[in-house]
């Protein structure tokens, strides 16, 4: 694949509220995927739930999301967006090759410095390319960036995992959702 992409890391599938549990049951019982985690987080428009599934070898990964409590639209003219996350071995080279990522607010990077005590030059490099960061308790790391929403419903994510990181960067989801919303509102 071009731009240093090595394959598909996962799919993010938004579900209607009434079908969320049914979809999870399907992926577990019919497709035989393992349920990994269930997370809840605040979004710009309400409370979200994310449930992750994967094969044992992680060759297939899915993240289902649903709005539990909703007040208004996810973003103007966006109904339950879906996304494809591509893997890369060098997210900085990929970011340079694909061009501008979804703009991330500066205060996100200030918070990274406080939460993870990352070196200033690392944080500045993440900021320059619009890359988000997460680390798990075992020291595994996730670097990821997002594109704006395309065609009113789909966006893309670029992911670089290291050290056995096995989650989906759920702690960064509210930042991504707010950035998508801000971008959509600014383009109206």
């Amino acid at each position: 694949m071009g731009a240093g992409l090595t394959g598909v890391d996962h799919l993010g599938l938004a579900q209607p509220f009434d079908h969320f549990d049914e979809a999870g049951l399907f992926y577990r019982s019919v497709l035989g995927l393992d349920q990994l985690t269930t997370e809840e987080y605040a979004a710009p428009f309400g409370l979200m739930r994310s449930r992750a599934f994967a094969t044992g070898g992680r060759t297939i990964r899915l993240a289902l999301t649903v709005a539990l409590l909703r007040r208004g639209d996810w973003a103007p003219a966006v109904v339950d967006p879906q996304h494809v996350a591509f893997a890369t071995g060098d997210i900085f080279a990929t970011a340079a090759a694909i061009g501008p990522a979804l703009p991330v607010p500066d205060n996100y990077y200030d918070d990274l410095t406080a939460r993870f005590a990352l070196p200033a030059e690392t944080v500045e490099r993440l900021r320059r390319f619009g890359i988000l960061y997460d680390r798990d308790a075992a020291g595994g790391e996730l670097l990821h960036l997002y594109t704006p929403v395309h065609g009113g419903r789909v966006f893309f994510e670029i992911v670089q995992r290291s050290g056995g990181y096995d989650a989906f960067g759920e702690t960064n989801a509210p930042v991504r959702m707010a950035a998508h919303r801000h971008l959509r509102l600014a383009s109206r």
Side-chain angles (χ1 to χ4, degrees):
M1 297 180 139
L5 302 176
T6 59
V8 174
D9 183 82
H10 68 272
L11 298 176
L13 305 173
Q15 300 294 307
F17 182 80
D18 294 340
H19 298 284
F20 182 75
D21 289 328
E22 178 183 315
L25 181 60
F26 173 80
Y27 290 121
R28 270 196 350 260
S29 62
V30 176
L31 298 183
L33 299 180
D34 298 324
Q35 183 175 323
L36 303 177
T37 60
T38 299
E39 304 284 338
E40 291 184 359
Y41 49 89
F45 56 80
L47 184 64
M48 296 292 296
R49 178 174 291 153
S50 174
R51 187 166 293 152
F53 298 89
T55 57
R58 304 304 192 253
T59 54
I60 298 173
R61 295 174 191 248
L62 299 172
L64 305 181
T65 58
V66 65
L68 297 177
L69 301 172
R70 187 175 215 146
R71 57 175 204 280
D73 292 332
W74 185 86
V78 176
V79 178
D80 296 327
Q82 315 293 330
H83 81 274
V84 178
F86 294 102
T88 184
D90 184 348
I91 197 163
F92 295 101
T94 300
I98 67 170
L102 179 69
V104 177
D106 283 335
N107 66 341
Y108 169 80
Y109 297 101
D110 297 337
D111 183 59
L112 272 188
T113 302
R115 285 177 38 221
F116 296 110
L118 295 172
E121 58 275 0
T122 300
V123 173
E124 186 50 41
R125 193 170 183 212
L126 294 170
R127 181 190 318 260
R128 187 172 350 119
F129 288 102
I131 296 170
L132 295 105
Y133 177 88
D134 193 28
R135 183 181 334 157
D136 64 22
E141 294 180 309
L142 176 73
L143 302 173
H144 57 141
L145 64 83
Y146 296 94
T147 69
V149 175
H150 297 283
R153 183 129 193 224
V154 176
F155 63 93
F156 300 96
E157 179 181 10
I158 309 298
V159 173
Q160 181 179 336
R161 297 173 183 272
S162 64
Y165 186 96
D166 196 33
F168 294 83
E170 293 90 344
T171 59
N172 291 325
V175 173
R176 184 243 323 142
M177 295 173 104
H180 271 139
R181 183 173 175 75
H182 179 75
L183 188 62
R184 296 295 282 199
L185 288 170
S187 67
R188 289 180 95 189

